[in-house]
Every structure is written in C-alpha cells, then in structure tokens.
Amino acid sequence: MTVVGAALVPGMPHLLAAEPAPSWKLLADAARQAGQDLRAAGPDAFVVLSTQWFTVLGHQFQVDPNPRGGHVDENWYAYDYGTLDYDLRVDVELAEAWACQAEDMGFQARRTRYDGFPVDTGTVVAGKLVDPDRSRPIALVSCNLYAAAGDLGRIAEAAALAAGKLGRRVAFVAVSGLSSGLIQRWIEPAEDRFEDAGHDAWNRRVLDLLAAGRTDEVLALREEYAREAQADSQLRALAFLAGSGACDRPARVLEYGPVWGTGAAVVTWLDG
Amino acid sequence: MSRVFHITVGDRRRPPQTAPVPTGAPAAELGPGGGDERGPGIVAGFLAPHPPHLIYAENPPQNQPRSRGGWELLRWAYQEARRRLRERHRPDVIVVHAPHWITMVGHHVNCVPNPRGLSVEPIFPHLLRYRYDFRTDVELATAIADCAADAGLVTRKLTNPGVRVDYATIGALHLLNPDWDIPVVSLSANNNPYFYSDADLEQMERLGAATRRAVEETGRRAVLAGSNSLSHLHWDREPDLPEDMAAEHPYDDHQYRWDMDLLTLVRAGRTRELRAFLPRHIEATAAEVKAGSLSWLLSALGWPEIPGDVLGYGTIIGTGNAVIEWDPANPARAHPAPPGWAPGPDDADRPRPMTGARS
Ligand SMILES: [Fe+2]
C-alpha cells in the first residue's frame, strides 16, 4: 500500500508557545500524537500541503533538498512563538517525480529552489510537531488559491502515483485551520475562545461528518462552509487529503479547539 | 545594491498644513525647480500597484532574476510618477500601505530603523528575489501607530528586524523611488489571507485619517502610496516566458469595463461617488482594493473632489493596474463622463470570482 494514512493539523504557531492556552497545548499534544500514529504506519516520506504557502500561479513544488534558516512571522513576531528556526529534509526524488506526474496530468508544476526562500509558518510548525526528529523526509506543494479546489485533489493523486512508481510509502499531511475568523484584538492565552458560535457550530458539524466517514458530504459543503465560517482556504486542505485516497474511511478527531478564535483540529485517517 | 539615503529624518518640523485645497482652487505656485512651495502635510497620493513583474521587467541591480522587459506602458507611467515625486512633490517621506504584509490582527507599522535583507517572494520567487536596504522615518511611523490607536484601531509597532519585507511594499517603493533615498513608513494591511473576505474599509479610512493627523503633527511633507491593483481575477498558470506580452491582456471584458468605470470616476474627480463605487467594484472584480490601500489613501487625502491623473493602465497576468496621482494643490484636468453615463457595467453574464480562474 503506497498511502499509509493522512492527517489534518493546524499551522498556527501558538501551538509552540512557551506558555500556551489550554487549547493550544491540547492541540499541540494531539498533533504530536497524530505524527506518532502516522509514523507507526511506516511511511518512507510525508507529503505535505500547507495553506500558509499559498500561491496563485501553477503548483509550486519545493525541490531544495535542505531548506533551512530562521523565519519571523509577520503577524506574531512579538511573541516567543513568532520566531522559528527550520531545517527541512526534502525528498527531492519524490518531489521531482510528483511534479513530473502533475505535468503529465496537465498541470503547471513549478520547481522552487532558491536560497533564502521563506518557508511558511504552517510547514515549520507542523514539522516540529508531527515529526520532531525529522525521521522522514518530506515533499511539499503550495496551495494554489486560484485553482479549482478539485485540482488540489488531483495534485494529491499525482503524489500517490509518483510515490507508487518510486516504491515509496507515504503519509499525507495537510496543514490548515478550520474557521479562520480571528479575535481582532491582542489577547492573553487564557482569553482564547470562539467568539462566533456559528463558526464553532460549523466546525463541529464538519468534524462530526468526517468522523462518520462522510468525507464527500463535507467536500460538497466546502463553499457554504467558507461563506458561513470563513473556512481556511475554502477547506482546500480536505480536497487535497481526499485526493490521496486516504479519507475513504471514518476519521479520528483527536482534538478540536480555538487558536486566537479560529477553529483548529487534529484529525487522522488510518487503518484500524 | 540599493543606496541608502543620508538625510537625517525628523529634523524638519514645520507647522501643520491646512485642509486640502478644494476643487477649482488655484494651483500651488511652482518654485524655480518646478517644485511647489507648499509646506508640510500630505502633498500627493499615488495609487501604486506592485505586481513583481514590474520590478522584474526593469532589471534593477537589487533583483536577482533577469528579464527582457515587458509591461512598458505601466513602467513608463511610473517614470512620470518618479519625475513628479522628485521635481514637484519633494517629500520628506513616502508612506506606503501594502496588501501583502497581511496582518491578521491589527494594523501594524514598521518601526525598524533600517530594514534590510533579501526578500524572496514565495508566490513569485522566479520574478522577485530582491535585496532591500532602506530607512524608516521612525518618528512618523511611531506617530501613525499612536494616532491609529487613539482612533480606536488595534495596532502594533513592528520593531523586530527579522520580518521579511513583502513584495507589495518593495514593489511600490522601488517603482516610485528606485534610489531609495527618501525615508519610508510602511503600513500593513489588516486582512485575513485564508478566506476571500474584504478588509474593513471603514477601518482603513480611519487609518487614513490617523495617518494624516500623524503627518501633520510631525510636520512632515509626505507622499502617500496605496499599493493596490484594480480588478484582480487572473490566470492560474503562466506563460513559459513570463514577459511574453502576447499572453498579456485583460482577464476578461467584464473586469476591463469595471476598471474603466472606476477610472472614469477618477478622471472626472467624482471622488465621493468613487467611495461608494469601491465596494461594487470589489464585488464585481475581486479587486485588490478590497485590501484597503486605496480607501486608506483617499481618506488620508480627505476624499478630495479633484480629478486623479491616470498616468497609465495595463494588465499583469490579466489583473488591472493603474498608476494614478492625486495632487490636491495641482489637480489634474477634469475629464467629465459623457452625459447620462453611470458607473457599473450592466453585465448579467459576469463570472463568479474565485471559482477556478483559467487562462
Ligand atoms: Fe498584489
């Protein structure tokens, strides 16, 4: 089996705070657990999409074998969790094969390999939680906001095909929030909560459907969810994960809670 | 490498400027060098779009990629803007509001004295890998943040030099002043990047008023740059050669006509109507002015009922872009709209924004 499982994890840096809100800590612990569970399924590599690396032209594939450096988040720079170091291990062979497969399927695949390229906060945060020891290399693609959401599903399909050709076993990770309405003021961690009950209700509805294995229903609700609860990138992350083929079963919702008022959840799709 | 200016900022306090010159008022007297004799205050505002293609096409030494040019009409418009900035406006400072320093909580002001570094643009890394090195007018930056907070806005002063400067800020500032020899204040756009929501334009207007107050209180002679494109649906793939101008044209006729209606209001000096038209234009074309830079700019200028001078219009990957100058003391000639004309094309077949644009 090429695809061993999938996970949805939040990319907000608050999960790495030295003094986290209760929900941030629970979410971080859950993301660590999700990583442990995915690794236990035996992948050779992680295939990663982060909605915080959003692009608008073509699909960008990271082909730098070792992006590394410091990243200061342009929103959260004043907090301890706003300054991040990263040192990524990219499976260039898989990324290149993935890009070629995407091209064969008619997509524009752009290779990204530039000194000083700013890796996004979500990719860094998820990496530190899901695979803190960098035990597996990763293959990264951007989230094209101007492409149809279904295209991201096909891009994931391309990753699975490419991995299959290389004999790689892979786990898919999408780094994304749920509702994205932030509390519009500076708060203390203890003050974090959902200020919009409607957003909270929508998030719960979506998670319940995923837990019931009704992935297609959630995909059909994406646009409405985006309108009603400002879903992060119109929940393209789920379209991506579904394209891997891993979401054809009930999901396990490990945690759900607010991060600065946004909805965040850790969800896995694994056998057993 | 960019040159760093050598003027000491904050040493040229002047009494505050009075209210903007109303429509039809005599033009300010031009000095011997063509510069006008106005004192401090906001002397002009530019709509200054920033697509990285324009810097890429100029091949400046600060940018690593090399091009064969392209998008000349817009770049020539910027040449004229530069001439006016240098010869007529002669500002102490350029204040820029840019939509790609997206801050999800609050309005941020860059208070780092000397931002410098390499800005590799995550969306267009093949076009923009720009080494920047400029000076901030920290006194004015601080004053803008304070005035904005006084006006009830959530604010933050950026003092961490590690934050990469975004391509919209770099784009507008480079194109207006490639020598970087005028101090800068850079403002973020309080937006949500993950949902196609619009900025709160009322807040942007308040930020504009606060900017004006801060400029007057610090006695600066300022030029403002609102760094927005107009219509904003565009291709989701790129020609093999980015500067292949055979591939460059409006995304569709719908977007083009809405942009022309906006520019018709600008050229006619119907600014109050423009203010009411902006939300319609945003709704119809996913216009980048939804990020609030134009509302901030015109609010800071006091929504003057004077014509803007459209120095150029062109498309970039299908989006509409105009370089426009508003000069309250020397308003452009008015170009009235035809009798009976009303803004807002009547097109029932308009595409739905953000549903998978295709070239
Ligand atoms: Fe832009």
Side-chain angles (χ1 to χ4, degrees):
Chain A
M1 188 174 54
T2 298
V3 179
V4 302
L8 174 73
V9 298
M12 293 282 268
H14 307 66
L15 272 59
L16 301 175
E19 293 179 16
S23 64
W24 307 353
K25 180 170 183 342
L26 289 170
L27 287 160
D29 289 344
R32 289 188 190 96
Q33 183 63 50
Q36 210 171 309
D37 295 346
L38 286 182
R39 292 198 304 278
D44 300 309
F46 287 109
V47 175
V48 180
L49 168 104
S50 167
T51 59
Q52 292 184 54
W53 182 16
F54 52 88
T55 58
V56 296
L57 283 175
H59 302 274
Q60 287 176 217
F61 297 80
Q62 181 60 260
V63 293
D64 183 338
N66 182 210
R68 62 187 179 281
H71 174 68
V72 183
D73 188 277
E74 65 270 32
N75 291 281
W76 309 109
Y77 52 80
Y79 300 94
D80 62 291
Y81 49 82
T83 299
L84 302 164
D85 289 326
Y86 59 92
D87 185 352
L88 307 181
R89 195 152 73 87
V90 170
D91 185 338
V92 175
E93 191 184 19
L94 175 57
E96 186 59 47
W98 184 8
C100 289
Q101 183 68 48
E103 284 171 338
D104 287 350
M105 290 164 67
F107 295 106
Q108 187 174 45
R110 304 151 66 88
R111 278 71 165 174
T112 297
R113 183 176 182 172
Y114 301 104
D115 285 343
F117 182 84
V119 172
D120 67 279
T121 297
T123 296
V124 176
V125 169
K128 287 180 187 293
L129 296 171
V130 170
D131 190 14
D133 298 327
R134 302 187 312 152
S135 67
R136 311 290 198 283
I138 58 177
L140 297 167
V141 72
S142 69
C143 181
N144 185 329
L145 293 177
Y146 272 54
D151 286 0
L152 278 180
R154 299 270 291 151
I155 292 292
E157 197 183 322
L161 284 169
K165 286 178 186 168
L166 292 174
R168 295 273 206 290
R169 287 157 59 88
V170 291
F172 281 71
V173 176
V175 186
S176 172
L178 299 176
S179 61
S180 70
L182 287 105
I183 296 172
Q184 284 299 321
R185 61 183 184 280
W186 305 114
I187 59 170
E188 293 300 320
E191 298 174 82
D192 203 351
R193 65 191 183 91
F194 291 107
E195 291 198 326
D196 188 321
H199 288 191
D200 184 23
W202 258 102
N203 294 334
R204 290 177 187 278
R205 177 180 174 192
V206 161
L207 293 173
D208 286 348
L209 286 169
L210 293 177
R214 291 155 70 179
T215 309
D216 288 345
E217 281 181 57
V218 178
L219 290 174
L221 285 170
R222 272 189 336 95
E223 295 283 345
E224 191 183 348
Y225 182 31
R227 274 196 309 276
E228 299 298 325
Q230 302 187 7
D232 182 339
S233 307
Q234 295 174 315
L235 204 60
R236 280 176 160 77
L238 183 67
F240 177 77
L241 291 178
S244 76
C247 302
D248 59 350
R249 68 199 83 177
R252 183 173 166 223
V253 179
L254 280 73
E255 193 57 65
Y256 165 67
V259 178
W260 215 283
T262 67
V266 177
V267 182
T268 56
W269 289 264
L270 285 157
D271 276 337
Chain B
M1 295 291 290
S2 62
R3 278 182 275 161
V4 178
F5 85 105
H6 297 288
I7 305 164
T8 307
V9 298
D11 61 350
R12 286 191 274 174
R13 285 182 168 274
R14 301 182 177 99
Q17 188 194 26
T18 52
V21 178
T23 314
E29 227 169 280
L30 296 183
D36 67 57
E37 300 306 307
R38 283 169 292 169
I42 298 170
V43 290
F46 286 93
L47 181 65
H50 55 258
H53 307 69
L54 297 176
I55 289 182
Y56 167 71
E58 300 243 311
N59 292 313
Q62 298 100 323
N63 200 30
Q64 290 174 6
R66 283 289 164 264
S67 75
R68 297 187 208 166
W71 302 280
E72 274 75 7
L73 289 176
L74 275 168
R75 293 195 288 119
W76 294 341
Y78 264 115
Q79 280 181 9
E80 176 60 13
R82 280 174 213 165
R83 189 189 67 75
R84 295 183 188 187
L85 188 90
R86 194 157 287 284
E87 296 179 7
R88 184 181 300 170
H89 306 314
R90 300 185 306 197
D92 299 325
V93 59
I94 303 173
V95 186
V96 63
H97 187 277
H100 298 298
W101 178 14
I102 304 171
T103 51
M104 297 186 286
V105 179
H107 304 266
H108 298 220
V109 184
N110 190 336
C111 296
V112 175
N114 177 205
R116 59 183 183 274
L118 174 68
S119 188
V120 176
E121 166 44 43
I123 296 180
F124 302 101
H126 57 306
L127 303 182
L128 197 85
R129 302 190 300 279
Y130 188 99
R131 198 161 282 287
Y132 60 93
D133 183 346
F134 62 90
R135 291 297 174 101
T136 296
D137 182 340
V138 176
E139 185 187 348
L140 176 60
T142 304
I144 291 174
D146 290 341
C147 287
D150 287 349
L153 296 173
V154 175
T155 60
R156 178 140 273 169
K157 295 168 187 162
L158 166 64
T159 56
N160 185 329
V163 174
R164 177 180 61 87
V165 175
D166 65 282
Y167 75 87
T169 301
I170 289 172
L173 291 171
H174 174 95
L175 292 161
L176 284 171
N177 179 34
D179 291 337
W180 293 90
D181 57 355
I182 300 168
V184 165
V185 175
S186 151
L187 310 181
S188 78
N190 174 219
N191 278 242
N192 185 332
Y194 306 132
F195 178 69
Y196 306 121
S197 55
D198 303 338
D200 182 338
L201 295 185
E202 186 277 328
Q203 283 199 25
M204 296 303 176
E205 294 187 10
R206 259 196 287 163
L207 184 64
T211 301
R212 179 188 188 86
R213 199 183 125 206
V215 166
E216 292 176 351
E217 285 183 358
T218 53
R220 295 296 193 277
R221 182 177 166 101
V223 162
L224 269 46
S227 186
N228 278 162
S229 298
L230 297 178
S231 61
H232 212 242
L233 292 180
H234 61 69
W235 324 133
D236 69 351
R237 47 173 69 208
E238 188 176 53
D240 290 337
L241 183 70
E243 61 269 40
D244 179 353
M245 289 296 103
E248 190 59 81
H249 57 85
Y251 177 74
D252 60 19
D253 184 53
H254 163 86
Q255 286 208 156
Y256 179 81
R257 286 188 294 140
W258 276 85
D259 281 354
M260 290 307 113
D261 280 10
L262 184 145
L263 295 180
T264 298
L265 289 174
V266 167
R267 283 160 46 91
R270 291 159 61 169
T271 314
R272 273 193 298 273
E273 276 178 80
L274 174 63
R275 185 181 189 178
F277 181 69
L278 284 178
R280 293 178 60 201
H281 184 256
I282 290 167
E283 162 73 17
T285 70
E288 199 182 22
V289 297
K290 71 182 176 181
S293 305
L294 181 58
S295 298
W296 164 81
L297 170 68
L298 289 173
S299 169
L301 287 166
W303 296 98
E305 282 285 291
I306 59 167
D309 198 355
V310 179
L311 302 177
Y313 174 87
T315 64
I316 299 177
I317 59 170
T319 66
N321 294 271
V323 180
I324 306 175
E325 179 203 52
W326 283 271
D327 180 345
N330 297 284
R333 177 197 304 236
H335 296 275
W341 175 87
D346 174 24
D347 45 2
D349 59 339
R350 72 170 209 236
R352 283 167 50 82
M354 304 296 188
T355 51
R358 284 286 188 287
S359 59

